[in-house]
Amino acid sequence: MRKVLEVILLLLLLVFTHAKGTRYSPPGKPALTRCRSPEKETFTCWWEPGSDGGLPTTYALYYRKESSDTVNECPDYRTAGENSCFFNKNDTSIWVNYNITVVATNALGRTFSDPVDIDVVYIVKPNPPEQVAVTVMEDKGWPFIRVSWEPPHKADTRSGWITLMYEIRVKLEEENDWETHLAGQQKMFNIFSLRSGGTYLVQVRCKPDHGFWSEWSSSSYVKVPDYFHREKSVWILITVFCAFIFLIVTWLLHMNSRSLKHFILPPVPGPKIKGFDKQLLKNGKSEEVFSALVVSDFPPKSSNYEDLLVEYLEVYIPEEQELMLEKSMDLDVSCLKSEGSTSDSDSGRGSCDSHTLLMHKCDGVKEGRERQAEEARRHQKDWKEEASTYSNVDSSPDMSSGRVKTWPSVFSPLPRYSSNQQGSLETAKQHYLSDSLFRPSSTSSCHTQPGHGATEALGPSYWECGLSNKQPHLLHPQGQAQRQLQAHSDDNISSIGRKPTPAGLPSPALRSTEYVEVQRVNEEDMVLLQPVSGRCGDVEGYPQVPHGEDYSKVKGVDGDNMLLLQREVREETGNCDTPSTVATTQKPTTCIHSAMPVQGEAVLGVNGYVDTATVFTLPTY
Amino acid sequence: MNPITLFNATIFSFITFLCCSLGLLSLLVSVVWVVLVYLLFCSRLLSVGAAPICTNAQAGCHALSLANLFDRVIQHSARMHGISNDLHSEFYFLPSKNQIGRVSRNCHTSNIFTPNGKENAQRMAREELTEVILKLLVAWRDPLWHFQQSIAHHHDFNNFSTNKALEMSDMVHELRKGVEKVAEKMQMMGIISNSVSSLASPEVLMPSDSAEWRLMKDYDLLYCFRRDSNKVQNYLKILKCRIVPEHGC
């Protein structure tokens, strides 16, 4: 009865169990997941339990060593945690094969796991390296990271029991890729090629020669300081690059040397003859060359040769007048000189006091000088105007002034004189015509040139021959005592100034000239000449004595190099050859102009008296 | 920077300049020249004497220190173990072999007392340890040779494996010689006593186990040798770190 009750209870229990839906079963099969040894002295095995079957299940690990048949149970289930078995040193044998089995047991049964054979040597997985130290160091200006560590304290590498190999990995903080380096068995490693100013993460792990890699150590942070790239090879590269650039530039310059040379130093243009072909020279035919040289318009034949030459008319005053002129000029000069200097020339003073052309005192000279110049200019202008009417020539004062040497200065006091004498404008126009008495041939042939149009040498003192040409009627009545306009070429200048020596000199062949004072120019544009006093009727006589008293003829030069002046008296006023002058009004005063000559009076020549013309005639001076 | 790097930089810049300015022909010439210079450089740096090694500093041979000898031997044993490991892995994946029932038998060298732990190995005297190493190496000379002979005819193994087996057997032989030299040097230096006597004949050491290894299968043989080579390597390391600890211990 009681047995039946137990059976019924058990059946009810079973039914109830079924009704509830739970099923009790023997435990599931456990599985050994792994066994690891950290230092090759101990090891731990972990298993994975299977289903417990709804009932409390116990697990047991059994192992059997190689070479023994005894089955031992795990000595330590707790050290390594849940579902683990820890074998300590005493229970661990190296190079011994372990056959391990895990058994799960519950109320309904027990289940064995698959056996696993392990050898501790091959299941070594060390701990990560410890004491990882990361420092930034410098190598000749270049920073690098030095990583140093220690093996895990459990692993005995000092006795050689375990040999560990290490591995390092580095990465920048903001990146994702690691850079791994195998470090071998050393406990220190250097990392180069760092980014300036970056933060790096460093990790180390180790592995025995036959085993598993450890876990990575914890990250070590290191910041690289900013550094400047200073390396010698950079300078070398820069130098090589610069040398390369320099070579390129040199090569370019060499290629363009010619154009550069033309740019910097432009070639000097050689002489080029217009219309001349250099090829002719190269060909070597001289005839062609010379014919090429002969250009049609060379030499220029625009005008006659004579046109090129300046024709000027030399105006002379009679000797006395000339001398007086010179004297006056000298007086001018000497007067000026005396003002500022201590020159004392008696003749100068004498000239001042005497009745000379310069009636006024020396101090008056200066005052009147401007006036003289003004009058001279005026006279010149008028004279030029009138002269231009005679000859249709454009007066070119330049040329005339070029021809005129000192005559203008000589000429300047003349108006003064005339104005003193006559005080009229007309008489102020005193022009001295050359006396061509000595050159009768020349009078007729004074460079008469038909068609002589251009006459430019109308200086104040010169008349052109053309004038005489055009106005033959003007001059013709002069007759022998004619004051004829004489044209002189340049080579006759010397003859102009040749003054005849005193009376003993007289050769008619001498081309001495006299000065004839032009009294005025009348309204009919005729030149009125002053009769030459003292020489009436004497056509080719000696040089006329100048009109005025202030002119003195040079009689001669004595041995002491003194000019002997001659003063003659012209009393024959009436005998003045009036016909010799061209419609000149005879004025007794002019005739009487001749001062009382003093024969043989010797007047010392003044230095400044003699003008350039007389210099020629008095070479001894 | 060291002169070599500076020299390299100069060479590089020179080459760059040349090839830019003168074209490829000059580049070729410069490259050839650089290669020649490098050869000259490197050959000078890496030239080492090729005299034979001997323990005694005799005429004509190059005497090595004990540390160097140990390092060479340890490297040798490490290489040997690597090869055995490779061969064992190849054998392990062969489908034809029965992988489950392994090592039910003991290796033929199991009767050689080898320390199974660090303390045991450190407790052992140097002479004993040296002897153990030598015994192991001696014990494996013939089996390996036979193994190498047998797998040559196996179509399961490729040529690469047979070469490894051959190398392995040679290495055992060489390693044994090396260890003997080390022992000799140690005896000379007085580190160990002269108890490690001549081990010329393996039959002296293991007279009874001469035929046991013939019963082993190939896989078991590989398995056993793999373990024994590891032992050798480890023992050598222990010896080295005990005797000459200043280098890499």
Side-chain angles (χ1 to χ4, degrees):
Chain A
M1 193 62 144
R2 238 174 129 179
K3 275 189 187 172
V4 175
L5 222 81
E6 282 176 6
V7 168
I8 291 170
L9 207 66
L10 230 128
L11 278 170
L12 276 173
L13 191 67
L14 277 172
V15 168
F16 272 122
T17 311
H18 275 286
K20 279 185 182 175
T22 56
R23 182 172 279 195
Y24 295 113
S25 64
K29 191 176 181 183
L32 278 165
T33 55
R34 61 190 179 106
C35 297
R36 292 287 181 261
S37 168
E39 72 283 77
K40 209 159 74 172
E41 296 167 35
T42 65
F43 73 101
T44 312
C45 282
W46 291 269
W47 66 85
E48 184 70 32
S51 63
D52 57 353
L55 295 165
T57 314
T58 59
Y59 294 91
L61 188 140
Y62 297 99
Y63 68 91
R64 192 177 67 87
K65 277 189 175 182
E66 174 192 349
S67 72
S68 82
D69 292 326
T70 57
V71 176
N72 305 316
E73 194 178 348
C74 171
D76 191 342
Y77 286 106
R78 283 186 220 90
T79 308
E82 190 75 24
N83 297 331
S84 67
C85 177
F86 174 74
F87 294 82
N88 58 8
K89 284 186 186 180
N90 299 330
D91 301 323
T92 309
S93 301
I94 316 299
W95 298 297
V96 171
N97 199 7
Y98 281 77
N99 195 313
I100 300 173
T101 312
V102 175
V103 176
T105 311
N106 66 356
L108 292 176
R110 55 169 66 181
T111 315
F112 288 86
S113 65
D114 291 331
V116 169
D117 288 309
I118 58 164
D119 198 334
V120 181
V121 175
Y122 303 111
I123 58 164
V124 180
K125 182 182 175 180
N127 293 328
E130 297 166 1
Q131 299 178 26
V132 178
V134 181
T135 52
V136 178
M137 304 183 77
E138 239 188 51
D139 171 40
K140 292 174 190 174
W142 287 95
F144 65 93
I145 294 179
R146 169 161 290 182
V147 189
S148 65
W149 58 86
E150 288 299 314
H153 66 278
K154 284 187 182 174
D156 188 3
T157 53
R158 294 193 60 96
S159 64
W161 181 241
I162 294 180
T163 308
L164 291 175
M165 284 195 298
Y166 303 93
E167 193 179 52
I168 299 173
R169 71 174 185 181
V170 185
K171 85 173 175 86
L172 277 166
E173 193 177 9
E174 56 269 10
E175 289 185 11
N176 295 329
D177 297 330
W178 289 93
E179 180 184 326
T180 54
H181 302 276
L182 203 61
Q185 296 180 16
Q186 60 198 22
K187 300 185 189 59
M188 181 258 299
F189 193 74
N190 297 327
I191 300 172
F192 299 95
S193 302
L194 302 171
R195 184 184 297 183
S196 163
T199 305
Y200 283 91
L201 275 71
V202 179
Q203 288 180 338
V204 192
R205 70 174 183 180
C206 57
K207 174 178 100 75
D209 45 3
H210 306 284
F212 300 97
W213 280 105
S214 69
E215 295 295 328
W216 287 105
S217 64
S218 56
S219 296
S220 301
Y221 291 86
V222 63
K223 185 170 189 317
V224 180
D226 299 320
Y227 61 89
F228 179 69
H229 194 93
R230 267 188 280 113
E231 202 179 26
K232 272 185 201 170
S233 65
V234 174
W235 290 111
I236 291 173
L237 281 173
I238 288 172
T239 310
V240 168
F241 185 68
C242 287
F244 171 63
I245 294 286
F246 173 74
L247 274 176
I248 292 280
V249 168
T250 309
W251 182 70
L252 282 172
L253 279 175
H254 176 258
M255 293 302 288
N256 300 334
S257 62
R258 230 174 298 151
S259 59
L260 269 178
K261 224 186 286 180
H262 277 283
F263 179 70
I264 293 172
L265 303 166
V268 177
K272 287 182 186 155
I273 300 172
K274 191 172 165 186
F276 185 71
D277 188 11
K278 276 190 281 186
Q279 287 299 325
L280 290 176
L281 264 180
K282 289 178 187 173
N283 293 341
K285 295 184 182 174
S286 58
E287 299 85 18
E288 294 177 11
V289 168
F290 294 138
S291 65
L293 279 173
V294 177
V295 189
S296 61
D297 58 345
F298 183 82
K301 301 193 188 97
S302 59
S303 59
N304 295 332
Y305 283 111
E306 288 77 13
D307 296 334
L308 293 175
L309 301 174
V310 173
E311 298 180 354
Y312 56 88
L313 202 65
E314 196 179 78
V315 178
Y316 288 95
I317 58 176
E319 269 190 10
E320 296 81 8
Q321 289 177 358
E322 180 194 18
L323 288 173
M324 291 186 74
L325 259 181
E326 295 168 347
K327 223 181 180 180
S328 69
M329 185 194 70
D330 173 53
L331 179 67
D332 248 0
V333 174
S334 62
C335 283
L336 288 171
K337 276 186 195 171
S338 64
E339 288 181 3
S341 62
T342 60
S343 70
D344 50 351
S345 54
D346 295 338
S347 67
R349 251 185 237 136
S351 302
C352 266
D353 294 338
S354 64
H355 300 288
T356 58
L357 270 174
L358 299 176
M359 297 300 292
H360 52 292
K361 290 288 186 177
C362 291
D363 48 0
V365 172
K366 234 185 175 180
E367 298 168 5
R369 219 170 161 67
E370 281 185 21
R371 212 176 131 211
Q372 284 180 21
E374 192 183 302
E375 283 183 359
R377 279 195 293 274
R378 197 157 22 102
H379 299 325
Q380 285 179 19
K381 202 168 33 171
D382 296 340
W383 183 77
K384 276 179 197 169
E385 287 170 5
E386 297 194 350
S388 63
T389 60
Y390 285 123
S391 62
N392 310 324
V393 176
D394 306 332
S395 63
S396 66
D398 291 341
M399 197 175 278
S400 61
S401 61
R403 299 290 172 188
V404 176
K405 290 182 284 195
T406 55
W407 298 124
S409 60
V410 175
F411 169 69
S412 57
L414 293 177
R416 189 71 193 136
Y417 159 72
S418 63
S419 63
N420 283 335
Q421 296 293 326
Q422 290 108 14
S424 68
L425 185 65
E426 291 168 338
T427 56
K429 296 179 188 174
Q430 294 179 358
H431 304 269
Y432 293 92
L433 305 174
S434 64
D435 195 351
S436 60
L437 288 176
F438 297 140
R439 287 185 279 174
S441 60
S442 62
T443 56
S444 60
S445 67
C446 73
H447 300 278
T448 58
Q449 293 181 14
H452 193 305
T455 58
E456 23 304 349
L458 284 181
S461 309
Y462 295 105
W463 285 89
E464 277 200 358
C465 192
L467 264 175
S468 66
N469 248 3
K470 289 203 166 88
Q471 313 293 335
H473 65 277
L474 205 68
L475 299 172
H476 192 69
Q478 279 186 358
Q480 299 182 343
Q482 52 191 334
R483 301 80 170 125
Q484 198 168 22
L485 304 175
Q486 193 176 22
H488 295 270
S489 54
D490 290 348
D491 50 4
N492 288 334
I493 288 176
S494 56
S495 63
I496 290 171
R498 194 174 309 166
K499 302 311 297 181
T501 51
L505 185 82
S507 120
L510 275 180
R511 294 168 59 80
S512 62
T513 55
E514 295 185 37
Y515 291 101
V516 177
E517 188 176 310
V518 173
Q519 190 178 9
R520 64 186 172 97
V521 179
N522 62 358
E523 36 296 340
E524 286 135 28
D525 297 332
M526 285 193 294
V527 176
L528 304 178
L529 302 173
Q530 290 280 353
V532 178
S533 59
R535 206 159 48 85
C536 301
D538 187 8
V539 178
E540 340 177 327
Y542 295 95
Q544 294 296 329
V545 179
H547 298 118
E549 316 162 333
D550 46 349
Y551 294 103
S552 26
K553 185 170 90 176
V554 175
K555 189 171 153 189
V557 180
D558 65 353
D560 293 335
N561 287 340
M562 289 194 300
L563 288 172
L564 305 173
L565 299 178
Q566 184 179 14
R567 287 183 167 227
E568 294 175 2
V569 177
R570 303 188 187 94
E571 297 160 352
E572 302 147 342
T573 59
N575 291 342
C576 288
D577 191 8
T578 54
S580 66
T581 61
V582 178
T584 54
T585 57
Q586 201 171 14
K587 289 192 177 175
T589 53
T590 58
C591 284
I592 302 174
H593 265 175
S594 57
M596 300 301 289
V598 177
Q599 291 284 346
E601 183 180 339
V603 178
L604 284 176
V606 187
N607 285 340
Y609 169 73
V610 180
D611 65 346
T612 52
T614 52
V615 168
F616 294 126
T617 56
L618 298 168
T620 58
Y621 185 83
Chain B
M1 108 172 47
N2 52 6
I4 295 180
T5 316
L6 185 65
F7 185 66
N8 291 349
T10 316
I11 294 296
F12 174 69
S13 55
F14 178 67
I15 288 173
T16 313
F17 166 71
L18 267 184
C19 75
C20 286
S21 62
L22 298 174
L24 275 178
L25 183 61
S26 70
L27 171 66
L28 203 68
V29 167
S30 56
V31 162
V32 165
W33 176 70
V34 162
V35 163
L36 286 174
V37 166
Y38 258 114
L39 284 176
L40 197 73
F41 234 94
C42 296
S43 64
R44 229 177 332 138
L45 288 174
L46 300 178
S47 64
V48 285
I53 302 169
C54 52
T55 52
N56 306 329
Q58 296 165 2
C61 63
H62 185 60
L64 283 176
S65 66
L66 193 59
N68 281 339
L69 281 169
F70 262 115
D71 285 336
R72 288 178 180 230
V73 166
I74 287 168
Q75 283 178 14
H76 211 102
S77 67
R79 178 157 175 78
M80 191 177 69
H81 175 71
I83 296 173
S84 69
N85 206 7
D86 297 339
L87 277 173
H88 174 263
S89 303
E90 282 184 41
F91 215 91
Y92 183 81
F93 291 107
L94 288 176
S96 61
K97 296 296 177 187
N98 188 6
Q99 316 298 336
I100 311 297
R102 67 186 74 154
V103 197
S104 55
R105 291 171 295 275
N106 296 331
C107 297
H108 71 286
T109 55
S110 54
N111 52 1
I112 304 173
F113 177 71
T114 57
N116 289 333
K118 187 179 85 171
E119 291 79 14
N120 297 340
Q122 283 178 337
R123 244 180 266 138
M124 214 176 221
R126 300 166 193 172
E127 296 84 358
E128 285 184 59
L129 208 52
T130 313
E131 263 193 50
V132 166
I133 295 168
L134 284 168
K135 279 181 185 175
L136 284 170
L137 291 170
V138 166
W140 277 105
R141 190 190 63 178
D142 290 333
L144 281 178
W145 191 82
H146 283 280
F147 170 74
Q148 180 258 328
Q149 292 286 323
S150 68
I151 66 167
H153 305 294
H154 253 288
H155 39 268
D156 290 331
F157 290 95
N158 52 7
N159 281 344
F160 188 60
S161 304
T162 51
N163 289 338
K164 280 189 185 174
L166 182 61
E167 188 182 357
M168 202 164 61
S169 72
D170 288 338
M171 286 179 107
V172 166
H173 190 69
E174 297 293 327
L175 189 61
R176 181 178 146 239
K177 285 188 193 169
V179 173
E180 280 176 356
K181 278 208 168 75
V182 168
E184 199 180 307
K185 180 125 185 143
M186 283 197 295
Q187 284 170 354
M188 227 175 42
M189 292 169 69
I191 300 172
I192 57 175
S193 62
N194 292 339
S195 60
V196 182
S197 58
S198 62
L199 307 166
S201 61
E203 287 74 22
V204 173
L205 298 171
M206 308 183 316
S208 61
D209 300 322
S210 59
E212 220 181 85
W213 53 270
R214 296 177 197 275
L215 303 174
M216 285 169 56
K217 291 182 185 171
D218 292 339
Y219 175 76
D220 296 332
L221 197 138
L222 281 174
Y223 179 85
C224 290
F225 180 68
R226 177 181 167 225
R227 188 163 68 187
D228 286 342
S229 60
N230 200 336
K231 279 183 185 176
V232 165
Q233 185 185 4
N234 217 336
Y235 296 152
L236 283 170
K237 282 181 185 174
I238 292 170
L239 263 180
K240 181 207 174 217
C241 287
R242 196 190 295 183
I243 297 171
V244 279
E246 55 271 8
H247 297 283
C249 278

